[in-house]
Amino acid sequence: MRTPLVIGNWKMHGTLAEARALAGAIREMIRRPRGVQVVVCPPFTALAAVAEVLAGGPIQLGAQTCHHEPAGAHTGEISAPMLVDVGCRWVLVGHSERRKEIGESDEVISLKLRAALAHGLTPVLCVGETAEERRQGFTFTTVEGQLRAGLAGVAAGELGKVVIAYEPVWAIGTGVNATPGQAGEVHGYLRGLLSELASKEVAQAVRILYGGSVKGENVDALVAEAEIDGALVGGASLNAQGFVAIVRRAARAGAASKE
Ligand code: PEP
């Protein structure tokens, strides 16, 4: 039984005051989450402030990326141990915006993922095809390549500590989400690959989230799919009420689909 997981990716949004207010409102509304785990990933500048707001509560803190080295001459970068120090337990790796805008390669993403594991963070490995790749029939090839490369060098025994997020690039920030059927098909494929890379038991335990224009109105149908274990939410996570509605609906849909 995989507990549904909902992660809010705040991207490059928010002053300190806004981040505190958003985290505070979410915490206030989600005092005792039942049947769902909740994580928020503010920008680096707001991590310490949000950590204070969330301290002692059930909502956990994550970051949007990390550097693969623990320390050193890497101007502008933040390392996994620094994230742990500020209170993070999670980190996104390989988000498509970083692959595209920063040029993060699968090799670098794999280094980051292993650095996260080495320092006790849960990495959330993001994979997903572009619209063109889907049109040309390369969806499965693309996500398979990203999954295999991202997990390269991770011991089979460690694979169970990773979360995967399937985020079709064409669905991110566009308002056009993958249908539950489209997403479920890719999730099933990814779980099959995890089975091959680790074992059936590990593959059954790993949570695979869907991300891409998730909102209150579509999360139920997505999480109701047997292979979809929650959501990575961008735009809709910046509104406390909207995000909390997604969390509640994901919890209900997750529970119902496993009855
Ligand atoms: C994301 O950036 O991870 C994301 C899913 O964004 P949005 O929900 O805005 O599509």
Side-chain angles (χ1 to χ4, degrees):
M1 172 88 180
R2 300 181 292 267
T3 304
L5 168 64
V6 178
I7 303 180
N9 172 14
W10 296 1
K11 309 196 188 193
M12 196 174 70
H13 290 289
T15 60
L16 277 181
E18 286 164 347
R20 278 197 195 98
L22 178 55
I26 294 169
R27 179 175 179 167
E28 196 53 38
M29 285 187 269
I30 307 179
R31 296 195 181 182
R32 253 173 263 114
R34 276 197 208 100
V36 64
Q37 193 173 18
V38 186
V39 176
V40 293
C41 300
F44 287 137
T45 49
L47 285 174
V50 172
E52 270 179 33
V53 174
L54 299 182
I59 300 163
Q60 296 183 355
L61 188 66
Q64 299 171 17
T65 186
C66 67
H67 194 269
H68 59 274
E69 295 287 353
H74 303 290
T75 303
E77 295 290 344
I78 307 282
S79 73
M82 288 169 169
L83 295 181
V84 172
D85 186 45
V86 78
C88 288
R89 295 174 65 177
W90 302 75
V91 64
L92 308 181
V93 291
H95 192 283
S96 63
E97 284 155 10
R98 295 197 59 85
R99 290 180 191 263
K100 184 161 174 258
E101 292 178 18
I102 318 287
E104 274 185 13
S105 66
D106 281 326
E107 291 68 32
V108 165
I109 290 162
S110 155
L111 289 172
K112 287 172 186 248
L113 185 140
R114 280 178 277 158
L117 285 173
H119 294 279
L121 291 164
T122 299
V124 180
L125 173 63
C126 305
V127 301
E129 82 286 1
T130 62
E132 190 52 30
E133 285 163 341
R134 179 165 276 268
R135 238 188 322 272
Q136 293 191 10
F138 293 143
T139 297
F140 295 103
T141 323
T142 301
V143 297
E144 175 167 354
Q146 291 171 337
L147 187 85
R148 285 188 187 278
L151 297 178
V154 179
E158 294 273 279
L159 286 173
K161 297 181 182 169
V162 175
V163 167
I164 308 296
Y166 168 55
E167 298 210 301
V169 178
W170 49 270
I172 296 182
T174 59
V176 181
N177 58 286
T179 64
Q182 285 172 323
E185 192 183 27
V186 176
H187 283 227
Y189 187 73
L190 293 170
R191 204 176 299 287
L193 291 170
L194 289 171
S195 230
E196 210 184 280
L197 292 170
S199 67
K200 194 158 181 247
E201 292 66 39
V202 168
Q204 283 307 318
V206 169
R207 285 177 291 184
I208 307 180
L209 312 182
Y210 166 77
S213 298
V214 170
K215 33 191 185 285
E217 301 84 70
N218 59 23
V219 71
D220 314 59
L222 287 157
V223 177
E225 280 287 319
E227 294 295 346
I228 302 181
D229 306 316
L232 177 51
V233 187
S237 71
L238 294 171
N239 174 280
Q241 284 190 328
F243 182 64
V244 171
I246 290 172
V247 169
R248 294 197 174 126
R249 284 168 174 244
R252 274 200 298 273
S257 72
K258 270 120 209 152
E259 267 168 13

